[in-house]
């Protein structure tokens, strides 16, 4: 029954990620309630959702375009460096501390997701100096390597600060950086034995199916309802995480 519920959680997460992101709001709590240690749950969740980033990138490959003044290899290098840094920080944190931090990370990620429209408006048409925007990109990738929740919203905002103006290019570059940083962080997690491979494989299958269903039907749903639904899920899961730690 647990495995069926984990597959269903990954199915829902794949659909959510195909629509607007936020699937880790479901997969991480599901793995924690299944009984995995906090760092292993985070590593397994990241592994499970990774194929969805690749699927998204495949669909948007023609829209991939680095911000003006940068190139794709540089963006990939920054994402890889951030992924390694975030994964190393997770290893240094340890299970006990990370378990205490998770509810707060969930709360912050939910707030970021809820504030997404305001963040986009605030950064639209504004270009920050490279001395600020590039370190912000690295820190965003490091956050994604440590805890994936809400990273897409931050990434699109940072790409805007780097001068990325086309929405589809922003989404495509978000997919590139997310795929790279998650791949690198998963490799680090795997090297230290944090990934529960049977569960990761089961949930990756669910996420792939959910991603296909989400991409096929998402156009019929108002984006505002996507966001409201994901924020509600984030609030509920955050409350459950705080209750679990009480």
């Amino acid at each position: 029954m647990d495995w069926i519920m984990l597959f269903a959680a990954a199915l829902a997460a794949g659909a959510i990620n195909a629509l607007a992101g936020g699937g880790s709001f479901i997969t991480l709590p599901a793995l924690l309630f299944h009984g995995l240690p906090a760092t292993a749950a985070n590593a397994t969740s990241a592994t499970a959702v990774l194929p969805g980033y690749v699927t998204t990138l495949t669909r948007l490959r023609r829209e991939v375009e680095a911000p003006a003044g940068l190139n794709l290899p540089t963006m990939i290098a920054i994402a890889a460096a951030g992924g390694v840094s975030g994964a190393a920080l997770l290893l240094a944190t340890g299970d006990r501390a990370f378990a205490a931090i998770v509810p707060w990370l969930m709360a912050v990620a939910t707030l970021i997701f809820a504030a997404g429209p305001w963040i986009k408006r605030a950064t639209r048409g504004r270009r920050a100096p490279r001395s600020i925007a590039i370190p912000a990109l690295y820190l965003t990738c490091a956050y994604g390597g440590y805890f994936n929740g809400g990273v897409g919203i931050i990434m699109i905002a940072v790409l805007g600060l780097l001068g990325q103006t086309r929405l589809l290019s922003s989404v495509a570059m978000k997919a590139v950086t997310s795929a790279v940083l998650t791949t690198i962080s998963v490799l680090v997690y795997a090297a230290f034995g944090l990934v529960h491979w049977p569960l990761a494989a089961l949930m990756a299958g669910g996420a792939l199916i959910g991603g296909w269903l989400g991409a096929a039907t998402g156009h019929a749903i108002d984006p505002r309802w996507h966001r409201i639904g994901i924020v509600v899920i984030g609030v509920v899961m955050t409350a459950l995480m705080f209750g679990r730690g009480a």
Side-chain angles (χ1 to χ4, degrees):
M1 183 61 68
D2 273 4
W3 283 52
I4 292 172
M5 294 183 68
L6 288 172
F7 183 85
L11 191 74
I16 288 172
N17 280 340
L19 300 175
S24 57
F25 290 160
I26 300 176
T27 53
L28 177 59
L31 287 163
L32 287 170
F33 282 104
H34 177 69
L36 285 189
T39 53
N42 191 59
T44 304
S45 174
T47 306
V49 301
L50 176 58
Y53 292 130
V54 177
T55 301
T56 301
L57 183 55
T58 301
R59 294 204 318 266
L60 295 175
R61 62 188 181 278
R62 295 180 180 176
E63 304 297 336
V64 172
E65 180 184 358
L70 291 176
N71 54 47
L72 191 58
T74 300
M75 297 290 290
I76 289 173
I78 294 171
V84 169
S85 301
L89 182 59
L90 178 69
L91 292 170
T93 302
D95 277 321
R96 185 183 296 272
F98 188 70
I101 294 170
V102 162
W104 297 100
L105 289 172
M106 291 279 291
V108 169
T110 301
L111 288 173
I112 291 171
F113 210 95
W118 291 275
I119 294 172
K120 289 178 183 178
R121 282 197 293 269
T123 57
R124 185 176 297 144
R126 297 186 180 184
R127 186 168 180 171
R130 292 299 169 91
S131 58
I132 294 174
I134 291 179
L137 177 63
Y138 164 76
L139 290 173
T140 300
C141 293
Y143 167 80
Y146 184 75
F147 180 75
N148 207 253
V151 68
I153 294 294
I154 306 173
M155 186 68 69
I156 287 178
V158 171
L159 289 169
L161 293 176
L162 283 165
Q164 187 73 274
T165 56
R166 293 183 65 244
L167 178 59
L168 279 179
S169 292
S170 295
V171 173
M173 282 308 304
K174 180 198 74 171
V176 170
T177 53
S178 295
V180 170
L181 73 89
T182 305
T183 299
I184 296 297
S185 60
V186 164
L187 289 173
V188 175
Y189 299 152
F192 285 86
L194 290 182
V195 179
H196 190 297
W197 289 108
L199 291 180
L202 171 77
M203 297 180 76
L208 281 171
I209 295 171
W212 182 84
L213 292 173
T217 62
H219 63 277
I221 306 172
D222 189 315
R224 289 176 298 176
W225 291 110
H226 292 167
R227 184 169 303 282
I228 290 171
I230 293 164
V231 170
V232 169
I233 290 170
V235 169
V236 170
M237 292 300 180
T238 299
L240 290 173
M241 290 296 96
F242 276 111
R244 180 175 180 269

